[in-house]
Amino acid sequence: MELTLLTFLPVIGIPLLWASKDVKVQRMIGAGVSGVVMLLSIWLWMNFDPNHTSLVGDGAYGFSHAWISVGDSFKINYAMGVDGISLLLILLTGVLGFLAAISAFTIKTKVRGFYAMYLLLLTGMLGTFVAMDLFLFYVFWEVMLLPMYFLIGIWGGKQREFAAIKFFLYTLVGSVLMLGAFLAIYFQLSEAFASPELIAQGLNAFSIPDILAHHHLIFEGNSTVRMVLFVALFIGFAIKVPVFPFHTWLPLAHVQAPTPISVILAGVLLKLGGYGMMRMAFPWFPDAVVTAWPYLATLAVVSIIYGALVALAQTDWKKLVAYSSVSHMGYVLLGLASLTEEGINGAVLQMFSHGLLSGMMFLCVGVIYEQAHHRDLNRFGGMLSIVPRYTFVAMIAFFGSLGLPGLSGFVAEMFVFFGAFKSDLPDAKIFTIVGTIGIVFGAVYILVMIQKVFFGKPKETPEHPYRDLSLREGITLWPLAIMALWIGIYPAPALNLIDPAVANWRRTYFAEHMPTPPEETGDLEAPDELDTGALPPDALRWDGLRLNGPGRDGSGRDSAGEEK
Amino acid sequence: MGSFLPLLAQDAPAFPSLKADLMQNLGAAAPEGFLCLMVLVVLLLDVIRHKGPSALYPKVTLAGIAIAVVLVCVGSGDHLVGYNGFAALSVDGLGRLFKLVFLITGALTVVFVMRSGKSYGREGEFQVLMFGALAGMCYLASATELIGFYVAFELVSYTGYLMAGYRLESTKGAEASGKYVIFGSVASGVMLFGITLVFGFTGSTEFSVIAEKLMAVDTAEPALMVGAIFTFAGFAFKAAAFPFQFWCPDVYEGAPAPVAGFLAVASKAAAFAVGLRVLAYGVGATPSLDALDPNLGQLLTPNMAFTEQVLAVAAVGTMTWGNLAALRQNNLQRMLAYSSIAQAGYLLMTACVVLHADVSDDALAAIGFYFLIYLFMNLGAFFIVTLMRRDIGSTLVTDLRGIGHRKPLLASCFAIMLISLTGLPPTAGFVGKFLLFAPVIGEGLFVLATIGLINGAISLYYYAKPMREMFLKEPDETTGDLRVVGFDLALIVALTVPLLFFGLFGWDAVADAARDAVAVAR
């Protein structure tokens, strides 16, 4: 019930927009509805027991009702559910949804249409995170596309039409591949679920939890088909993430979209790709993930470095931020594919952190772009002295993105690299070391950009002198800055939320597929160095996660070894 | 069941009671008979009134179609009818489903013509042609033997030729009609040649006997296969399937938009109705195979596998050619023509798995369901084209520029139709595509399904073109305005609402009904 309310609240809000012809009232309604969504998502988080890791069932908010059944061929349920991972992303969606709605006050034309599309988009995103039935999931997944097409195409920049259709086509190709894989899985599993041993359990091959629980039955023993299905799903989600070489829609769409939509695109839409991998592609085909590890890691590392290098070459400020997303989402894939608890936690945390920081960066670019009407990095300069308050908050965003300790990006990236480094998968250390080069490039493009924009002397005088951060802009930026600082200094709330789900995810699906490490004697990586050196002191205080102790990780490995 | 020629009938049953048989036949063919009667009625009315208020004719037609719908609906049960033990018609759910599609399409077409704003002073003629076409189509949907089928097929063709050239003043209309006649005649001739070969080798004109001999026999008789392929060419021509699709764009572009819509939906559905019946009989004729282990490939006899391959090639060619050609079109009517070719490709894809006994009914139901949905979205789109020609005088996509800002409701409805044609949720078009693809994937035809899915994604590019013009571009002075108000707007909304509604709720009921309906009397 809570999840239904959360998902459909934005859509219910759409007719309210017709209550008044006054643009200001419409803006208030749009922001108000997304504000309520944010409050609801916070409420969900406050009342959630992170140790509850079953997706549909009692305790959490999950439920499942019969929705559609066609003869004996389809049984589709209206099923929703969350765990810590999706709840963190829902929280991110709620917060960014509200702040972007406020930042959209700068939209001058067709305000009612904008908020109608915006709220529809919000429903699509929230629905995708909570849907626990493949059909329902697919409907929500596709429902996002159309509003996004219009939001970019109507309210975007000069090349908006091309950007909109390119985004639409790219994502649609990904999603039809996904649909094909879903149907193939459905039919095969329906047969498997009808076997004498399982028929009594009343399993449903569209139900995500049921598929998760019986993922090994998907084309059991046929590793080729399993690999093909994994690749189809992976490409479907990789386009959204986006992973190199499926990223080419992103720079165009991010740059052409209006500021609030860039925030949503970078902040939430990309996370849907990562979420899809965590919920479907990876846990359904753990054997394929282990087999494909060298390719996955290569794609991740290439994304990290390539994104950073291309960002370095940009003169368009917004494009730089857009390419930084390719780079930063590469960390997510690396962390996930490493299949270590640290790496996966890092990946989820990186999704959250990237949502905050890229959202902030796009907002920051938007503030200046609105006044300067251009985004050419070579024409700015000396912002530090002109707009100090703006510079202060912008620095949090950009340094966070660079990976400065004390901000959320650092914690997430460190976890990813720890995880990847200690992974038992082949050549994990080499991939990690190469990946860390991306951090250096990341620092370079951010620092060069900061130098060009904020330091030095102004290169040209704008028509109107730059004004400092307005109250509205402050309201959109500061909450994100505070959250980025909070996660950077004390990540426990986020980690406590996701770690039980992550640990359960890893243990349930991957424990038996991990290669046996060469030696079983104790911990391979010197844990002391990690504990004292790299982590901020506060990060060690939470009690959910044991980094390198003989706990969960070691025992899982042991049991796998014994089985073999 | 005996055969057509008494000489060949080795085991002809005793001559049944003529009176009872005749009465039964009349009742079973009531919709077709009534539509034929209406042809005469309107023809007479036209002669008697000669000159008069033309608004009368559409009303007569709509009333006639309404009665025909009732006649279709009151018929129940599944039974074969004929005389002397010779089955000519099958009154069953598959036929009823398709007859409803034809009749609704016909009724909407008549309304569209009425609203197209052009009076030719020849309204009576059009209604005659419409009744003739509908009578032929309805007969096709029930036909179970070749002679009646061929007569009905030609009836549909000739009325189609004339309707396509209805816009006398336009050279494009004349070209359309001329092309349609020439290509159509050749296709008919080829098909007739195929039919004679088929009859010669099977000794029967009955679909069930032919299907049995064609499908269930392990060894192929080359001449019989040639005959079957030639006959298939006739169907493919009517359904505008690859490689017999080339006539379609010119004819659909030159014909009046409502007629193009009628041809794209009803004419296509008629070809599918017959083709599906033959396929279903083929499956029904091989009951022994049902019992086999349902491993892939084991299920089909060699001839069935060959048929599946032919259909799969036709499906892939049709959808790919239609989609790629549609990408470059700027004329909305022509674009819709190509897109309707592509849509036939998806239907052919699902027709492949009608041959698989375990999903045969699912596939038939999916195709029937899709036609019910397709009717709304495609006719709606052609109605928009009709109104464009009426109000703007041109049907270029760019003529829609900025309509979304001037007429948001109209543009939103059109956008929903286009989204539904693309097959995106939450529209009924998605559900239709979902049901079309499901049995194909369920039967393991992954390559075919993947090509279909990718094609679906490609189609977005051209379906999005009108949306881009309507919403993403600002209106300027040069673009004409659509004066769509009152009845026209209400009609468009009425065509759109089911697309949204059945995309979210209740489509399972419709799909179930379609599934119950398609069980073919074998």
Side-chain angles (χ1 to χ4, degrees):
Chain A
M1 187 60 215
E2 298 92 340
L3 296 180
T4 304
L5 186 65
L6 174 82
T7 308
F8 292 103
L9 202 62
V11 173
I12 296 166
I14 291 177
L16 297 178
L17 292 167
W18 271 260
S20 166
K21 288 207 158 164
D22 187 356
V23 170
K24 280 184 185 148
V25 178
Q26 289 168 10
R27 283 178 182 149
M28 284 302 155
I29 292 168
V33 172
S34 24
V36 177
V37 172
M38 177 181 74
L39 291 178
L40 193 57
S41 67
I42 293 173
W43 183 86
L44 287 175
W45 170 55
M46 306 284 271
N47 288 283
F48 181 74
D49 171 18
N51 293 315
H52 190 94
T53 48
S54 75
L55 288 160
V56 175
D58 34 41
Y61 308 108
F63 61 85
S64 176
H65 304 295
W67 178 26
I68 289 169
S69 70
V70 183
D72 41 354
S73 41
F74 292 111
K75 296 266 181 294
I76 298 167
N77 287 324
Y78 177 68
M80 289 178 169
V82 288
D83 62 2
I85 300 166
S86 47
L87 200 56
L88 186 72
L89 296 172
I90 288 167
L91 194 63
L92 178 71
T93 311
V95 171
L96 282 178
F98 176 57
L99 298 178
I102 294 178
S103 114
F105 286 0
T106 50
I107 300 280
K108 298 280 187 292
T109 53
K110 302 188 256 308
V111 173
R112 182 186 282 157
F114 179 90
Y115 278 107
M117 286 294 144
Y118 182 81
L119 292 174
L120 186 59
L121 175 68
L122 215 50
T123 286
M125 295 188 300
L126 291 165
T128 311
F129 281 131
V130 299
M132 280 300 135
D133 179 278
L134 288 186
F135 188 89
L136 189 65
F137 175 87
Y138 189 78
V139 168
F140 281 125
W141 181 272
E142 296 281 277
V143 161
M144 282 184 300
L145 295 187
L146 204 70
M148 195 43 112
Y149 170 77
F150 285 120
L151 286 167
I152 298 174
I154 299 180
W155 291 276
K158 282 198 186 69
Q159 279 179 285
R160 56 179 181 268
E161 288 172 21
F162 181 56
I165 191 70
K166 193 170 179 183
F167 162 81
F168 205 162
L169 277 174
Y170 253 78
T171 3
L172 190 62
V173 169
S175 39
V176 294
L177 284 178
M178 211 166 82
L179 179 65
F182 283 175
L183 280 171
I185 292 167
Y186 174 78
F187 283 108
Q188 200 274 333
L189 268 190
S190 290
E191 231 164 74
F193 286 173
S195 68
E197 308 90 64
L198 291 173
I199 196 155
Q201 297 181 32
L203 298 167
N204 182 330
F206 266 139
S207 154
I208 293 175
D210 286 355
I211 302 174
L212 284 172
H214 300 276
H215 63 275
H216 52 276
L217 290 176
I218 307 171
F219 289 95
E220 198 172 12
N222 192 340
S223 57
T224 320
V225 177
R226 281 178 69 86
M227 183 53 94
V228 168
L229 288 173
F230 170 71
V231 170
L233 284 179
F234 176 78
I235 292 178
F237 294 124
I239 289 175
K240 208 88 171 181
V241 166
V243 176
F244 176 91
F246 308 108
H247 67 282
T248 54
W249 63 270
L250 176 135
L252 201 61
H254 280 53
V255 171
Q256 295 304 322
T259 302
I261 299 310
S262 300
V263 172
I264 293 293
L265 258 176
V268 184
L269 247 70
L270 307 191
K271 312 304 173 290
L272 287 162
Y275 171 76
M277 286 187 191
M278 290 203 72
R279 187 67 84 219
M280 295 166 193
F282 277 51
W284 290 354
F285 304 103
D287 48 337
V289 176
V290 174
T291 315
W293 148 258
Y295 304 99
L296 296 176
T298 309
L299 287 180
V301 169
V302 170
S303 293
I304 293 172
I305 294 178
Y306 172 86
L309 283 176
V310 179
L312 187 56
Q314 299 307 318
T315 53
D316 183 325
W317 198 2
K318 210 171 175 185
K319 225 170 192 168
L320 181 144
V321 176
Y323 274 107
S324 82
S325 287
V326 178
S327 183
H328 285 139
M329 293 306 283
Y331 295 113
V332 174
L333 181 59
L334 185 64
L336 279 184
S338 76
L339 300 179
T340 53
E341 197 171 332
E342 293 85 344
I344 301 160
N345 268 309
V348 179
L349 205 57
Q350 171 74 353
M351 288 203 262
F352 187 67
S353 153
H354 176 261
L356 302 175
L357 295 171
S358 70
M360 277 183 83
M361 287 194 286
F362 277 118
L363 288 169
C364 287
V365 175
V367 168
I368 295 297
Y369 176 65
E370 252 167 56
Q371 303 177 49
H373 301 292
H374 73 84
R375 297 182 299 254
D376 190 344
L377 285 171
N378 295 321
R379 289 164 64 189
F380 294 116
M383 288 291 177
L384 176 63
S385 51
I386 308 171
V387 280
R389 272 186 292 144
Y390 167 78
T391 306
F392 186 71
V393 71
M395 286 300 164
I396 297 178
F398 291 119
F399 278 114
S401 180
L402 175 151
L404 191 77
L407 289 160
S408 59
F410 172 77
V411 183
E413 284 169 22
M414 280 307 115
F415 268 87
V416 167
F417 283 123
F418 289 160
F421 195 81
K422 91 184 254 268
S423 173
D424 295 323
L425 292 160
D427 301 327
K429 292 183 179 52
I430 298 171
F431 283 119
T432 314
I433 291 163
V434 179
T436 46
I437 299 171
I439 297 188
V440 180
F441 290 129
V444 175
Y445 72 79
I446 294 278
L447 289 174
V448 167
M449 183 269 290
I450 287 176
Q451 196 179 5
K452 280 180 179 168
V453 176
F454 295 97
F455 301 143
K457 287 208 173 76
K459 294 194 184 59
E460 55 184 55
T461 3
E463 283 177 44
H464 309 284
Y466 293 119
R467 53 165 177 78
D468 210 343
L469 218 54
S470 71
L471 177 65
R472 186 182 55 75
E473 288 157 357
I475 289 173
T476 59
L477 279 165
W478 272 110
L480 295 175
I482 290 166
M483 284 168 80
L485 274 165
W486 184 10
I487 302 292
I489 295 165
Y490 185 65
L495 282 169
N496 283 341
L497 179 62
I498 58 177
D499 180 57
V502 165
N504 175 59
W505 187 81
R506 184 179 172 280
R507 191 173 52 243
T508 315
Y509 309 114
F510 292 99
E512 54 181 306
H513 292 282
M514 291 302 287
T516 326
E519 283 180 40
E520 281 293 311
T521 51
D523 298 307
L524 295 171
E525 298 80 29
D528 293 339
E529 277 175 38
L530 299 185
D531 283 358
T532 51
L535 279 178
D538 281 328
L540 293 174
R541 235 182 260 154
W542 75 84
D543 44 33
L545 181 69
R546 282 171 292 264
L547 254 186
N548 282 282
R552 201 176 278 135
D553 193 47
S555 60
R557 204 184 287 157
D558 284 339
S559 64
E562 280 162 21
E563 276 166 27
K564 278 170 190 163
Chain B
M1 288 181 220
S3 58
F4 176 52
L5 293 177
L7 280 177
L8 290 173
Q10 303 295 318
D11 53 346
F15 204 75
S17 158
L18 184 64
K19 192 183 170 195
D21 208 24
L22 186 65
M23 292 312 290
Q24 192 193 13
N25 289 0
L26 278 179
E32 292 85 352
F34 176 75
L35 289 166
C36 288
L37 188 69
M38 284 306 289
V39 172
L40 297 176
V41 168
V42 179
L43 208 56
L44 279 175
L45 197 67
D46 204 23
V47 171
I48 294 166
R49 293 186 63 93
H50 198 60
K51 281 176 196 164
S54 58
L56 176 70
Y57 293 110
K59 283 175 191 156
V60 171
T61 314
L62 290 177
I65 291 176
I67 295 171
V69 168
V70 173
L71 288 175
V72 170
C73 291
V74 293
S76 63
D78 295 341
H79 49 280
L80 290 163
V81 290
Y83 55 89
N84 196 10
F86 169 74
L89 279 178
S90 170
V91 179
D92 54 25
L94 182 73
R96 272 194 289 278
L97 182 70
F98 274 99
K99 281 176 199 176
L100 286 180
V101 170
F102 306 143
L103 291 171
I104 297 171
T105 309
L108 286 170
T109 307
V110 169
V111 175
F112 294 168
V113 170
M114 196 164 75
R115 303 303 302 174
S116 67
K118 267 263 162 62
S119 175
Y120 297 93
R122 296 182 282 118
E123 276 73 11
E125 285 171 30
F126 188 81
Q127 317 306 333
V128 171
L129 295 174
M130 176 57 78
F131 276 122
L134 288 177
M137 288 170 178
C138 288
Y139 192 90
L140 279 181
S142 282
T144 59
E145 57 84 42
L146 283 170
I147 302 297
F149 153 73
Y150 186 72
V151 172
F153 189 87
E154 289 296 283
L155 181 57
V156 175
S157 299
Y158 284 112
T159 48
Y161 303 151
L162 291 169
M163 281 201 276
Y166 184 59
R167 223 169 50 184
L168 267 187
E169 83 287 357
S170 140
T171 49
K172 278 208 164 170
E175 186 197 334
S177 185
K179 271 195 179 165
Y180 200 16
V181 171
I182 293 167
F183 289 137
S185 313
V186 174
S188 287
V190 170
M191 189 172 77
L192 197 56
F193 181 54
I195 287 176
T196 48
L197 280 177
V198 168
F199 172 67
F201 279 90
T202 55
S204 172
T205 59
E206 282 180 82
F207 288 167
S208 53
V209 178
I210 295 168
E212 192 178 351
K213 299 223 161 140
L214 270 177
M215 304 286 187
V217 179
D218 278 358
T219 50
E221 174 68 57
L224 180 58
M225 296 317 286
V226 170
I229 287 179
F230 277 22
T231 315
F232 172 72
F235 289 110
F237 175 82
K238 261 276 163 288
F242 181 84
F244 303 101
Q245 83 296 347
F246 44 79
W247 59 275
C248 181
D250 288 337
V251 173
Y252 285 9
E253 190 190 354
V259 173
F262 181 71
L263 293 176
V265 177
S267 199
K268 201 162 279 184
F272 269 95
V274 189
L276 292 176
R277 184 178 294 280
V278 174
L279 292 178
Y281 283 0
V283 179
T286 54
S288 57
L289 288 165
D290 291 350
L292 286 178
D293 181 45
N295 282 332
L296 296 180
Q298 292 287 311
L299 211 59
L300 302 178
T301 63
N303 280 355
M304 286 165 96
F306 177 72
T307 313
E308 188 191 278
Q309 281 164 13
V310 170
L311 285 173
V313 169
V316 168
T318 308
M319 63 175 94
T320 311
W321 191 87
N323 271 326
L324 293 183
L327 289 180
R328 297 172 54 193
Q329 303 307 320
N330 293 318
N331 184 319
L332 189 59
Q333 192 169 342
R334 199 171 172 86
M335 194 185 88
L336 287 173
Y338 282 108
S339 97
S340 75
I341 296 178
Q343 302 276 354
Y346 307 130
L347 294 164
L348 276 173
M349 175 191 76
T350 307
C352 289
V353 291
V354 172
L355 288 167
H356 296 238
D358 51 340
V359 295
S360 189
D361 284 356
D362 286 339
L364 284 174
I367 295 174
F369 182 88
Y370 198 76
F371 268 115
L372 283 175
I373 300 300
Y374 182 60
L375 184 162
F376 285 98
M377 54 200 189
N378 210 41
L379 287 183
F382 273 107
F383 186 43
I384 304 266
V385 175
T386 309
L387 297 173
M388 281 175 74
R389 194 177 294 285
R390 184 188 75 188
D391 292 348
I392 305 175
S394 159
T395 57
L396 294 179
V397 176
T398 44
D399 291 323
L400 288 168
R401 179 160 297 175
I403 295 290
H405 307 297
R406 290 182 184 168
K407 296 260 186 304
L409 181 59
L410 170 72
S412 306
C413 287
F414 189 31
I416 290 168
M417 290 169 190
L418 291 166
I419 294 161
S420 188
L421 281 166
T422 318
L424 292 180
T427 61
F430 166 67
V431 175
K433 284 257 171 68
F434 180 79
L435 292 173
L436 281 184
F437 279 96
V440 181
I441 294 176
E443 286 300 294
L445 303 177
F446 293 138
V447 177
L448 185 61
T450 308
I451 295 173
L453 287 166
I454 299 286
N455 262 295
I458 293 173
S459 73
L460 170 74
Y461 180 78
Y462 59 84
Y463 285 128
K465 266 187 184 176
M467 289 199 271
R468 185 183 68 194
E469 290 295 332
M470 289 192 295
F471 293 101
L472 270 52
K473 306 253 190 193
E474 294 290 329
D476 53 37
E477 290 74 35
T478 57
T479 48
D481 198 4
L482 285 171
R483 292 181 300 277
V484 180
V485 284
F487 180 78
D488 293 339
L489 192 59
L491 187 56
I492 289 173
V493 173
L495 288 170
T496 312
V497 167
L499 294 180
L500 266 188
F501 181 80
F502 287 116
L504 292 169
F505 317 97
W507 60 265
D508 45 343
V510 181
D512 273 339
R515 202 178 181 289
D516 290 343
V518 294
V520 181
R522 287 174 181 137

